[in-house]
């Protein structure tokens, strides 16, 4: 492990791409790799059954107009821009809307001309409100620390500072705990064409009692919230110690009316780029019931977890949550969070779907990558209607660790639970040979996950873990798992463990270790396979408890 890696709050996320490439230790063409991942995903893909609208009573739909039906859509395409950077297919549409924003905000004002003083003491709320007016304006915020009691941005607004650390907008000491530092003006009818960039946003958590829970629930208590916003940009912006989230792209209200339903009035066509955040009470960047989201070159680290009970903090660097669809994460990084990237849903909400991770570096997160639909894991649970479609290309999990954020959670490089149609390509997992992983597995496929494809995955230095890659069997077993091009370099005592009742295919395994579970040199054992194909390598396998060496 590279002990020079820290990834603290001053980490430049523009370095993420090179950091990921260097850690892989080999080069590959990203366009080719994305095509490979797509082919993996399309191999025997299972689509969900259509959700019957008649199952939602008419009276329910009238009373709960905040609820809309979940609609399954196919995994959308990724393109490469002129610089060779992966972008969603709709990026050109968003670029055109940015041109429209520039045309509509030709009038430029400076908040200092309206009486704003960046002395870290003066209440500048009224000055900001006057400068912004009804929108159609570019508002410049000079260097300094500007105290406000909260800011609501109308449509056609361009808010720009002088850079992170140079311009800080800070929440007033008397602002209530529920206050969002910056959000949009109209939640019910929505807003559009809003840009925020080159700022530091300080939620001023110091105004609370040190032992006090830092949030009030729902999507309040965050640094920046876009709720029911169409066409939005947040760039080169830092979020400091929010009570809940650094950046939340969301619907007006979260929706918990059941799996198969989504909240209405979500946000769409939002691009977040070069964002940094730390000290967050819950998550760094999060999305809820929104779609067409692009998150690039961003870094989230060191949450406080204060939105949760101590020791039970699901504080993630990047969380793609309830009802989110068509989300791209490109060349981001996370450090010392509970989850580096979590794609999930609560038991009574629709799962995030159609999520693509293209380049991510996770360092010292408890669970580097965590994909799950809570409450849909066990045999007695209902099968998830919505936990479908994740693709990840060129990702790194470095030295996952135990964490005080969630004291009962053991470290994992990746966990896949309940999701179907997951394709992972070019995944490097590196442990710390001096760290005690307490014989836990490094990568776990479990809890009714199905149609899981892993290709070009490498493990090393998890010497105190139990298994590098474990596919759990039993009543709630995972199924339809294909593993190909797996490299294990002096890592766990057991390389691959496949549980009972699992249908799995393993192709091209290279394993090298001092001593495996059965005392075999130069190989790691594969254990407990009920349906297994192995091609190209002679390795010990165990079926129904009987160990033998085979070439199939």
């Amino acid at each position: 492990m590279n002990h020079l890696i820290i990834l603290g709050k001053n980490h430049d996320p523009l370095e993420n791409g090179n950091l990921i490439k260097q850690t892989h230790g080999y080069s590959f063409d990203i366009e080719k790799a994305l095509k490979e991942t797509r082919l993996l995903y399309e191999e025997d893909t299972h689509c969900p059954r259509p959700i019957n609208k008649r199952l939602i009573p008419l009276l329910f739909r009238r009373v709960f107009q905040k609820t809309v039906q979940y609609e399954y859509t196919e995994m959308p395409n990724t393109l490469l821009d002129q610089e060779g950077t992966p972008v969603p297919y709709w990026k050109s549409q968003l670029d055109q809307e940015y041109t429209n924003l520039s045309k509509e905000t030709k009038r430029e004002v400076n908040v200092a001309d309206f009486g704003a003083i960046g002395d870290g003491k003066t209440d500048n709320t009224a000055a900001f409100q006057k400068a912004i007016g009804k929108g159609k304006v570019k508002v410049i915020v000079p260097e300094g620390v500007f105290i406000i009691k909260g800011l609501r941005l109308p449509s056609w607004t361009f808010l720009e500072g002088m850079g992170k650390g140079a311009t800080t907008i800070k929440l007033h000491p008397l602002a209530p705990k529920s206050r969002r530092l910056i959000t949009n003006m109209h939640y019910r009818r929505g807003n559009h064409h809003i840009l925020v960039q080159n700022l530091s946003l300080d939620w001023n958590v110091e105004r609370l009692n040190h032992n006090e829970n830092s949030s009030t629930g729902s999507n309040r208590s965050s640094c920046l919230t876009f709720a029911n916003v169409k066409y939005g940009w947040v760039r080169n912006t830092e979020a400091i110690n929010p009570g809940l989230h650094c950046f939340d792209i969301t619907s007006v209200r979260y929706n918990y009316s059941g799996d198969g339903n989504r909240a209405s009035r979500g946000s769409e066509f939002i691009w977040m780029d070069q964002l940094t955040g730390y000290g967050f009470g819950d998550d760094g960047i999060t999305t809820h019931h929104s779609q067409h989201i692009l998150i690039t070159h961003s870094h989230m680290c060191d949450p406080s977890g204060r939105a949760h009970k101590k020791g039970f903090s699901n504080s993630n660097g990047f969380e793609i949550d309830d009802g989110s669809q068509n989300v791209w994460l490109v060349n981001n990084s996370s450090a010392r969070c509970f989850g580096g990237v979590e794609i999930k849903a609560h038991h009574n909400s629709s799962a995030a779907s159609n999520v693509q991770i293209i380049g991510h570096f996770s360092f010292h997160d408890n669970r580097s990558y965590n994909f799950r639909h809570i409450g849909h894991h066990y045999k007695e649970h209902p099968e998830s209607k919505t936990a479908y479609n994740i693709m990840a290309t060129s990702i790194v999990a470095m030295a996952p660790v135990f964490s005080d954020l969630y004291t009962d959670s053991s470290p994992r490089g990746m966990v896949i639970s309940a999701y179907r149609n997951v394709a992972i390509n070019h995944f490097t997992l590196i442990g710390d040979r001096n760290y005690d992983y307490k014989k836990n597995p490094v990568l776990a496929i479990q809890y009714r996950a199905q149609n899981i494809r892993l290709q070009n995955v490498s493990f090393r230095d998890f010497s105190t873990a139990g298994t590098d890659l474990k596919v759990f069997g039993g009543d709630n077993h995972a199924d339809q798992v294909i593993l190909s091009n797996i490299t294990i370099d002096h890592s766990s005592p057991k390389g691959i463990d496949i549980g009972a009742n699992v249908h799995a295919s393993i192709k091209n395994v290279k394993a090298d270790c001092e001593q495996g579970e059965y005392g075999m040199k130069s190989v790691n054992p594969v254990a407990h396979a009920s349906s297994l194909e192995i091609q190209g390598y002679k390795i010990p396998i165990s079926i129904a408890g009987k160990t033998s060496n085979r070439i199939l």
Side-chain angles (χ1 to χ4, degrees), residues 497-518:
D497 186 340
I498 298 181
N501 305 319
V502 177
H503 294 82
S505 171
I506 302 177
K507 304 175 183 179
N508 299 335
V509 176
K510 295 180 181 179
D512 190 6
C513 68
E514 289 84 1
Q515 184 174 352
E517 186 181 61
Y518 302 102

Side-chain angles (χ1 to χ4, degrees), residues 401-418:
V401 294
F402 288 93
S403 174
D404 290 338
L405 290 167
Y406 216 118
T407 54
D408 294 334
S409 178
S410 55
R412 299 282 193 277
M414 177 176 283
V415 181
I416 306 173
S417 307

Side-chain angles (χ1 to χ4, degrees), residues 296-310:
T296 59
H297 308 108
S298 295
H299 175 63
M300 299 289 135
C301 67
D302 301 307
S304 71
R306 287 182 58 183
H308 303 272
K309 181 181 177 182
K310 186 175 178 60

